[in-house]
Amino acid sequence: GAGVSQSPSNKVTEKGKDVELRCDPISGHTALYWYRQSLGQGLEFLIYFQGNSAPDKSGLPSDRFSAERTGGSVSTLTIQRTQQEDSAVYLCASSLVPGGYNEQFFGPGTRLTVL
Amino acid sequence: GENVEQHPSTLSVQEGDSAVIKCTYSDSASNYFPWYKQELGKRPQLIIDIRSNVGEKKDQRIAVTLNKTAKHFSLHITETQPEDSAVYFCAARSGANNLFFGTGTRLTVIP
């Protein structure tokens, strides 16, 4: 079946502009995660939508970052007033249910470049 | 929250040799420990995982060991091949919480 998809695959923007990154999880997956991966770095947790529970937003680096998940499926990560340090690959992942022993399946990522 | 540390950050081995990557975690309630492999330019993919009720798990050339008392777990790759070259991430989770990832190990297998 179809895996996790993300769009766009690449995004170049100017400093100060807002960007929206989209994630389509695997159908039926109730948990969705966003991570940021800077060049050569690890996976920095941003936000976690855990089914019907309130999202875990503890990883969002500033109030310029926000995310929503409408209808329990597609998620959008929004970065307002982008800064050069926001340049990174943004990865989305989904799992069948939150936590437990459930595998997280990653999308291909969106490479964001802020000029 | 959970804190996962991973060592080494880079590792080079000759083809055919073994590679070992080690991780420690801080939350004694963590009960699930997956390992992900990320090839250059690709998405991370699960290669093996272990639950807290077992001490070791093997899958062909890869194995993972878990020491709950010491709160550390390791990935072992035997008979390494060039296609094993990638970045490997360990992770830990307790209950319904988020996965916490280590900082990654860049493995290079020299032909």
Side-chain angles (χ1 to χ4, degrees):
Chain A
V4 179
S5 61
Q6 292 184 244
S7 61
S9 55
N10 281 284
K11 176 71 176 178
V12 179
T13 190
E14 294 180 347
K15 177 182 173 181
K17 295 286 181 67
D18 297 352
V19 296
E20 285 190 352
L21 312 180
R22 177 186 168 107
C23 173
D24 282 84
I26 294 173
S27 177
H29 280 198
T30 62
L32 188 147
Y33 315 77
W34 282 98
Y35 296 89
R36 178 168 69 176
Q37 187 172 34
S38 300
L39 187 62
Q41 300 299 308
L43 297 163
E44 177 188 3
F45 165 69
L46 298 177
I47 188 169
Y48 165 31
F49 293 93
Q50 39 189 332
N52 294 324
S53 301
D56 177 356
K57 302 180 180 181
S58 61
L60 294 178
S62 77
D63 58 8
R64 295 188 295 106
F65 289 73
S66 63
E68 63 178 25
R69 188 178 186 193
T70 53
S73 181
V74 172
S75 177
T76 302
L77 177 69
T78 301
I79 309 173
Q80 295 178 310
R81 305 181 302 282
T82 52
Q83 304 294 312
Q84 289 184 331
E85 59 262 31
D86 299 335
S87 295
V89 175
Y90 289 80
L91 289 162
C92 171
S94 72
S95 63
L96 185 60
V97 294
Y101 308 126
N102 294 280
E103 178 180 354
Q104 283 184 199
F105 295 85
F106 282 86
T110 293
R111 181 175 298 278
L112 175 65
T113 303
V114 182
L115 301 177
Chain B
E2 175 65 276
N3 180 44
V4 178
E5 295 190 353
Q6 183 171 349
H7 301 280
S9 57
T10 60
L11 178 61
S12 292
V13 298
Q14 290 291 135
E15 182 177 357
D17 288 350
S18 296
V20 180
I21 302 170
K22 299 182 179 182
C23 290
T24 61
Y25 61 99
S26 61
D27 186 353
S28 57
S30 287
N31 58 0
Y32 175 62
F33 307 92
W35 287 85
Y36 283 80
K37 176 183 180 182
Q38 186 177 30
E39 297 178 6
L40 188 64
K42 302 284 185 63
R43 70 189 78 186
Q45 291 192 301
L46 179 73
I47 55 170
I48 194 169
D49 57 16
I50 190 168
R51 304 180 184 187
S52 59
N53 58 347
V54 298
E56 184 176 7
K57 183 178 179 180
K58 290 183 179 180
D59 182 3
Q60 299 183 339
R61 295 187 297 107
I62 60 174
V64 57
T65 59
L66 171 65
N67 183 325
K68 288 175 57 179
T69 303
K71 290 191 282 190
H72 67 70
F73 56 114
S74 301
L75 177 71
H76 304 252
I77 307 174
T78 59
E79 301 172 22
T80 53
Q81 302 170 1
E83 52 264 37
D84 294 330
S85 295
V87 178
Y88 292 80
F89 293 97
C90 62
R93 170 162 66 207
S94 64
N97 293 325
N98 181 42
L99 263 181
F100 290 88
F101 284 88
T103 49
T105 297
R106 181 174 301 277
L107 174 65
T108 302
V109 179
I110 304 166

